[in-house]
Amino acid sequence: MAKLTTSVKAIKTELSKVKDNALLIGFFKGKSSLSPALKKLDKRYGNVISSFIKSHDFKAEKGENQRIFVDKGIKNIILVGLGEEEKYGFDILSTIIADVSKRLRDNKIESFSIFLDSFTNGKFKDEEAVEKMALGSLIGLYQFTEFKTKDKDKIKFVDKVTIMTSSSKNFDKSIGYACIVADTVNKTRDLVNTPPNVATPAYVAEYAKGLAKKSGLKCTTLDEKQIEKMNMGCFIAVSKGSINRPRLLVLEYNGAGKGKKPIAVVGKGITFDSGGLNLKPYPYILNMKDDKGGAVAAIHVIEACSKLKLPLNLVVVAPLAENMIDADSYRPDDVLTAYNGMTVEIKNTDAEGRLVLADALAYTADKFKPEVIIDIATLTGASLVVLGYVGTPFVCTDENMRKKLNNASAKSLEKLWELPLWQEYDDSLKSDIADIKHIGDEGEAGVITAAMFLKNFVNDVPWLHIDIGTTVWSKADKGMLTKGATGATVRLLIEMLREWK
Ligand code: BES
Ligand code: ZN
Ligand code: ZN
């Protein structure tokens, strides 16, 4: 079988000495003059670059790229347009590197080099540019081939990416960080993409156990009986309709010693969401294997934290269940009792995520007394209405966390936008017969009312809720995205935890 993983390294070298299948050189729009290093390269290759720029009208528009066949030490020189320098930033850099990497792979180029100096300008730190380049390639080149059995040896892939620079800085740290982040993002995509007949709650729990063993994390899984014993009435009810029994997964990383309160990350882990008795109609039932995206992201975030040896304590709690139909399924109009004793009136069995999270959040707050709770969930279809496929909506009860999140969002290039938790939204969750109803008024502020419901279960612990209902999945192969699972929030949360104080 073909080796599909890509390795990245950064080396100091003189351009004219490079030997590779391709060399990428970046140009800003309207700035086609060659730097001294490029002049030297141009001369070595018989002025092929300067004459190509003149004769082919290369404008260096963003995304434009032109290939010059030279077939000497370097086989192809690729001129890459970076667009206007004033608008250039890490988002454009990573997107362009990801797109070009894919194109080269599709053209069967298994190794290529990037001339770092031409992709940076005064605004960037070289270390950060190297990190973003490596991430662009490694995340952009992701493909999910696990379930293909034919012609595996014909799958195209990039074996090696080399970042060339004249700088004598050491880039080991940047590359090391990018490799850990890309690996965890891509493993998240693999598991989210794994079909629901394979990735059952028990399978995900076993997978996490395997990761925990390798990374030295503490792993505990509770089975149905134990979940029931702990009075998680909402979680159990959701799990009832499936032959694939639930698990409550708990992973713990201790990087700051015993005295320090942990940060808790709770992830929704519905391995398939049929909607239950409120069955999702076709085509909305498709892709519902991605409903475990929050749990799977959380599992890989804690793995990354342990690999990066971050000085903090972290606990991940993931309720894993399948929302299916059976004689034993929970129903609309049922009243359930949550872990914290609250009674919850059910109105739609397709709003199952908030129920498994209600118990998981209350359990986390009670058992671990965390400093903060972050939950990640493919919670609502309404998230598509709010920000489309571009960004992820979140709510937050704490100014400090809000700041941390916004910083991490800018650095990780994952776009998020906050929605308010105004008291008025609470009215729609009033129940005639129980303490609370689990859904609000149809078609009205669905992301917020779902969050308002969850807020009842966090015991006033500073809380951040991220709704990845839309951004967990990509319809297109574009930039760093590959059609399918995106690994949403993995880069964001690693970035947030990396800077945690
Ligand atoms: N898992 C879905 C949310 C979802 C829908 C994610 C589409 C990704 C794509 C969730 O369990 C759900 O079905 N939510 C309902 C809630 C409603 C019944 C109040 C929704 O958003 O329609
Ligand atoms: Zn649902
Ligand atoms: Zn769901």
Side-chain angles (χ1 to χ4, degrees), residues 24 62 80 82 88-102 114 119 124 128-141 410-414 478-481 491:
L24 272 51
K62 191 174 86 183
V80 181
L82 306 177
Y88 190 63
F90 283 138
D91 49 348
I92 296 178
L93 167 70
S94 342
T95 307
I96 286 180
I97 293 293
D99 276 332
V100 180
S101 300
K102 283 181 175 144
I114 307 172
F119 284 86
F124 293 177
E128 273 186 88
V130 165
E131 183 190 304
K132 294 294 185 278
M133 277 183 170
L135 282 172
S137 266
L138 294 170
I139 293 179
L141 287 168
K411 284 209 158 152
S412 66
L413 309 174
E414 285 199 56
K478 207 172 138 206
M480 296 222 270
L481 299 171
R491 282 186 286 144

Side-chain angles (χ1 to χ4, degrees), residues 196-218:
N197 60 322
V198 176
T200 60
Y203 178 99
V204 176
E206 277 305 306
Y207 173 95
K209 225 185 245 175
L211 272 195
K213 207 167 164 198
K214 275 196 221 149
S215 333
L217 300 168
K218 183 176 168 198

Side-chain angles (χ1 to χ4, degrees), residues 273 280 350-352:
D273 181 10
K280 283 182 187 290
D350 197 9
E352 82 300 333

